Amino acid sequence: MTERGLLTDREREIIEGKADVSDDYRYRVASRIRNKIERIDEDVDILEENRDDLLKELREVICED
């Protein structure tokens, strides 16, 4: 088991098509991921106010290309 990033190990399996789940469940997982993405905005604000070094690292990972 690896440490979690944005996705859990199970969410990764489902998104990659490696898990045998219903279309409905796949849709619910995608919805949960969308909610996580929306919450990143607040996390960025917190990092910006308190830990600019960590915000810089986050930006480097997300914007590397």
Side-chain angles (χ1 to χ4, degrees):
M1 183 172 185
T2 60
E3 286 192 39
R4 181 177 141 171
L6 176 64
L7 305 178
T8 64
D9 290 340
R10 181 69 174 154
E11 289 167 340
R12 287 184 182 119
E13 289 175 359
I14 292 166
I15 295 298
E16 292 175 329
K18 296 178 180 177
D20 185 22
V21 297
S22 69
D23 288 342
D24 183 58
Y25 189 73
R26 192 179 313 278
Y27 174 81
R28 284 186 279 151
V29 167
S31 180
R32 279 199 313 260
I33 294 168
R34 281 188 191 94
N35 289 336
K36 291 180 192 182
I37 291 169
E38 289 174 9
R39 288 192 306 267
I40 289 174
D41 189 43
E42 181 181 346
D43 293 342
V44 166
D45 290 342
I46 291 169
L47 290 175
E48 190 171 48
E49 292 174 15
N50 299 284
R51 291 295 304 263
D52 195 48
D53 58 323
L54 294 176
L55 178 59
K56 181 180 176 186
E57 288 181 41
L58 175 63
R59 285 185 172 143
E60 287 173 357
V61 169
I62 293 175
C63 304
E64 73 179 10
D65 289 330

